[in-house]
Amino acid sequence: MNVQKNYYKIGIIALFATFTSCKMLAPVENVEKPELPVSFADSKDTINSATIKWKSFFSDKNLQSLIDTALTNNIDLKMTLQDIEIARNDVRIKKGLFLPTVSGGLAVGTEKVGRYTSTGAGDASTDITPGHAVPETLNDFSLGIRASWEVDIWKKLRNSKKAAATRYLATIEGKNFVVTNLVAEIANSYYELLSLDNQMDVIKETIQLQKNALEIVKVQKDAARVTLLAVRKYEAEVLNSESLEFDIKQQIKENENKINFLLGRYPQTIVRDKTVFESQIPIQINSGIPSQLLANRPDIKQAELELFATKCDVKAAQAEFYPSFSISGGLGFQAFKPSLLFTTPESLAYSLLGELTAPLINRNAIKAEFNKAKAYQVQAMYNYQKTILNGYVEVSNELSNIKNLEQLYALKSKEVEALNSSISISNDLFRSSKVDYFEVLMTQRDALSSKLELIEAKKREFNAVVNVYKALGGGWN
């Protein structure tokens, strides 16, 4: 009796030590959302372009078709969908832990114990049935069910399930973020392709202009008005422009292949209308207010969900220190002969056990798991703050970029207009011998360069609009 009292005392002391030490292992405090500035620059308009669906945002039918194909065939997106499936099944696994584990089975065995053992000696002096001694070799047939269930007293299982469900939602936001980036990348590559098409037209037009000038110089050389040097200079200029044409062709090919790769298909011609590039004006962007990023950007929502999941992980890890209560039992039939298996009540067998256990020796390992979970939570907190900061910086950069590019494009347009008129002026002056061939060459070269730069500026305008749309969180809806 005294021994039993000592066991009870030891058990009570162990449980007291468990609860006392658990108080020292407090989880991380709740994390507040970082405060964002009230506006981007000086605008306080609440209208946000991120709410516009991508099919309405991009009016080009060819671009819409490309995006539609990518959303069906893109390999990275398909891989992300499998992440969602993995997370969904993880939730099912965690949900299953709430229910009792029930298993049924049929067992057949045989056993022979040593005669000079307590069991063997007892069997030798016992009749299994009246007049029949227990045989040395005894068969065992059993049929029944077994069940066990851990009662979720400290919400360990519930927090594990909550963490899994939250991560499932985070994978959906991760998929939305992949879609946002995919839509933006295809749109940027498409506008890059259109700009290259227009650059090709400019180069071909310039080559024809240079060839016409070359014929004039040849005539003037025959008339001894210019030297052979002028002819060679013009020929070199034509060859230089023709080399640019092949460089643009290669860039067009690589851009088409890039788009086809994003669409999950082998290289083929990308259907497009290059006149759209000149006629279409980049859409006007409404940035809204910074706090809307928290609701619109999938990566921010994903980081927030991951943070909440780690908080649940910490609670589940903390519950490992507390005693766990489990119930187990079994019910079935057991006999040494198949014919006696269903003879009741003699062959009926059952068991029931309620068990309360607390960790004692392996507490350092549990403490390490708890501290690891806390470290993951702190890491997720910093990642959440970093993602919000990154989102604000991206929007701020692209809004500034749009403003500056508008000014750049306006100036480049005036520069091209001035150089276009200077080409005809320089040609007229050259024919009347008022300027030499070198000035004509430089004028044509400057005009070509400014035209290509104007197209590049227009492309950058389109890219900036696409990028700010992505930065605001648009494109996934």
Side-chain angles (χ1 to χ4, degrees), residues 11 21 35 84 106 124 126 150 154 174-175 199 201 246 249 317 336 340 350-351 356 370 395 450-451 466:
S21 60
E35 287 191 15
I84 295 176
L106 171 67
T126 305
E150 181 179 352
W154 313 111
K175 184 267 293 182
Q199 287 180 34
D201 290 343
F246 289 103
K249 280 184 178 180
F336 65 90
L340 301 174
Y350 61 85
S351 65
L356 183 67
F370 176 77
V395 175
S450 64
K451 287 177 182 178
V466 171

Side-chain angles (χ1 to χ4, degrees), residues 128-163:
I128 194 166
T129 57
H132 295 85
V134 176
E136 290 188 2
T137 302
L138 190 65
N139 295 325
D140 185 18
F141 299 90
S142 62
L143 175 67
I145 59 173
R146 293 180 179 85
S148 63
W149 179 43
E150 181 179 352
V151 183
D152 193 26
I153 302 174
W154 313 111
K155 299 183 180 180
K156 177 180 68 176
L157 300 179
R158 196 172 305 172
N159 281 310
S160 294
K161 178 196 167 189
K162 194 180 292 184

Side-chain angles (χ1 to χ4, degrees), residues 74 85 115 293 313 319 376 398 413 417:
N74 182 263
E85 188 63 26
R115 176 59 63 89
L293 291 175
D313 288 336
Y376 275 126
E398 294 303 333
S413 297
E417 185 180 344

Side-chain angles (χ1 to χ4, degrees), residues 50 105 149 192 259 315 397 437 451 463:
W149 179 43
E192 172 78 17
I259 293 174
K315 290 182 178 179
N397 286 343
Y437 68 90
K451 287 177 182 178
N463 289 161

Side-chain angles (χ1 to χ4, degrees), residues 241-253:
S241 297
E242 288 177 339
S243 69
L244 288 176
E245 181 181 358
F246 289 103
D247 182 54
I248 295 294
K249 280 184 178 180
Q250 179 60 28
Q251 292 183 51
I252 289 174
K253 185 66 177 178

Side-chain angles (χ1 to χ4, degrees), residues 5 14 41 57-58 67 147 164 220 236 288 300 323 394 423-424 427 454 460 466:
K5 288 183 178 179
F57 190 82
F58 301 110
I67 294 174
Q220 291 191 338
I300 293 178
E394 283 183 359
I423 289 176
S424 58
N427 286 333
L454 180 64
R460 288 173 62 190
V466 171

